Amino acid sequence: MSTTPVVLTIAGSEATGGAGAQADLRTFQAHGVFGCVALTCIVSFDPKEDWNHRFSAVGPKVIADQLEAITAAYPRDQLDVVKIGMLGTPATIETVAGALRGRGFGHVVLDPVLICKGQEPGAALDTDEALKAQVLPQATFVTPNHFETMSLSGIDEIGTVPELVEAARRIHERSGAVVLAKGGVHLPGEEAVDVYVDDERTEILAAPKLGDGVQVAGAGCTLAAAVAARLALGDRPFDAARAAKEFVTRGIEQRLASDAPYDVVRQGS
């Protein structure tokens, strides 16, 4: 009988496979953990409209049914880590937040997808506020990108590493979660810098910038999923962050080209 850890992702489907649940499951597989998914929405880029997002939400009852089946199938000592990606609507957030409270996961890794492309601005704002109020307080580890770091920290502009450090510390103080704030291609210099903050340490994780200075689809999903996988395998949070950073760097280095205006991370390359 296998004792392989099980990791749950609660995320959207991205049709080209470059991000979302598809990227999460490949990341879990590459780390040797068993992945399962509760789908929250379906995103398909529109090649006729400059590759903008087309967003379709999964109904709350369907999401609840998926979560009920998954949590009934795997005991807590086998499934104790969940990674959360795009939720997309306040109704979805309410459903997921309730499921998190009911299960009591040991690790809740939140990739806080805030502005949900494909939604009207008002609906997107409602979604953002619901995520901050209902899911962020339950997170144990948060991996915001540059924009999300500004939003969660309340800092309007982050253009230097010290500013990113300050923002990450503010998010940690407000949420209590471990924070891995991603500078990505947004900060000047030759290195892609992320900042790690927990109760005891602040660390700067840096790697050479790859991808010709262009964001590569799926990097954020992959980073959070790799953190979740490493935590399920028993890593301490900082060790999980460092390993996840290396995993993403290698995936960007061996990225997959496409006819879309972006390349995609290759998990496990």
Side-chain angles (χ1 to χ4, degrees):
M1 181 179 295
S2 174
T3 57
T4 301
V6 177
V7 183
L8 165 63
T9 178
I10 305 174
S13 168
E14 195 277 277
T16 69
Q22 290 90 330
D24 293 346
L25 292 176
R26 288 196 302 273
T27 300
F28 296 160
Q29 183 73 20
H31 283 85
V33 300
F34 187 87
C36 51
V37 57
L39 285 179
T40 58
C41 58
I42 297 172
V43 174
S44 54
F45 297 106
D46 187 351
K48 302 183 298 299
E49 294 291 338
D50 197 29
W51 296 86
N52 289 323
H53 286 64
R54 293 177 291 198
F55 171 86
S56 300
V58 173
K61 176 63 164 59
V62 177
I63 296 170
D65 288 349
Q66 293 176 84
L67 293 170
E68 179 186 34
I70 293 165
T71 54
Y74 301 108
R76 187 172 285 103
D77 61 352
Q78 188 177 17
L79 169 57
D80 197 37
V81 180
V82 57
K83 180 262 181 182
I84 300 175
M86 180 180 283
L87 300 180
T89 71
T92 295
I93 289 167
E94 183 176 358
T95 300
V96 170
L100 293 177
R101 287 191 293 269
R103 174 69 174 198
F105 290 91
H107 298 284
V108 178
V109 181
L110 173 62
D111 184 14
V113 182
L114 292 181
I115 293 299
C116 182
K117 301 179 183 68
Q119 289 186 307
E120 294 298 322
L125 180 59
D126 290 345
T127 299
D128 293 355
E129 293 305 313
L131 185 73
K132 294 173 186 177
Q134 298 186 55
V135 178
L136 181 60
Q138 300 191 66
T140 62
F141 200 121
V142 187
T143 62
N145 65 19
H146 186 259
F147 168 79
E148 293 154 359
T149 298
M150 290 190 292
S151 178
L152 295 178
S153 68
I155 296 177
D156 293 332
E157 187 65 35
I158 299 173
T160 67
V161 172
E163 289 170 348
L164 184 62
V165 169
E166 175 61 24
R169 286 175 174 164
R170 288 193 190 184
I171 296 170
H172 173 66
E173 290 169 0
R174 292 177 179 183
S175 67
V178 174
V179 177
L180 183 59
K182 299 170 286 187
V185 300
H186 296 281
L187 300 184
E190 299 298 316
E191 292 184 315
V193 175
D194 302 335
V195 173
Y196 174 93
V197 177
D198 65 18
D199 285 338
E200 300 177 348
R201 66 198 301 172
T202 297
E203 299 282 352
I204 294 173
L205 304 179
K209 284 184 178 177
L210 303 169
D212 301 320
V214 177
Q215 288 183 331
V216 179
C221 304
T222 302
L223 183 74
V227 167
R230 296 304 315 182
L231 291 172
L233 291 168
D235 277 11
R236 296 177 180 177
F238 177 67
D239 294 331
R242 186 167 50 187
K245 171 82 168 176
E246 175 66 19
F247 183 81
V248 171
T249 299
R250 298 285 75 80
I252 296 174
E253 193 173 52
Q254 300 295 324
R255 61 195 179 276
L256 179 70
S258 75
D259 288 335
Y262 51 82
D263 296 336
V264 296
V265 175
R266 287 184 62 195
Q267 293 83 10
S269 60

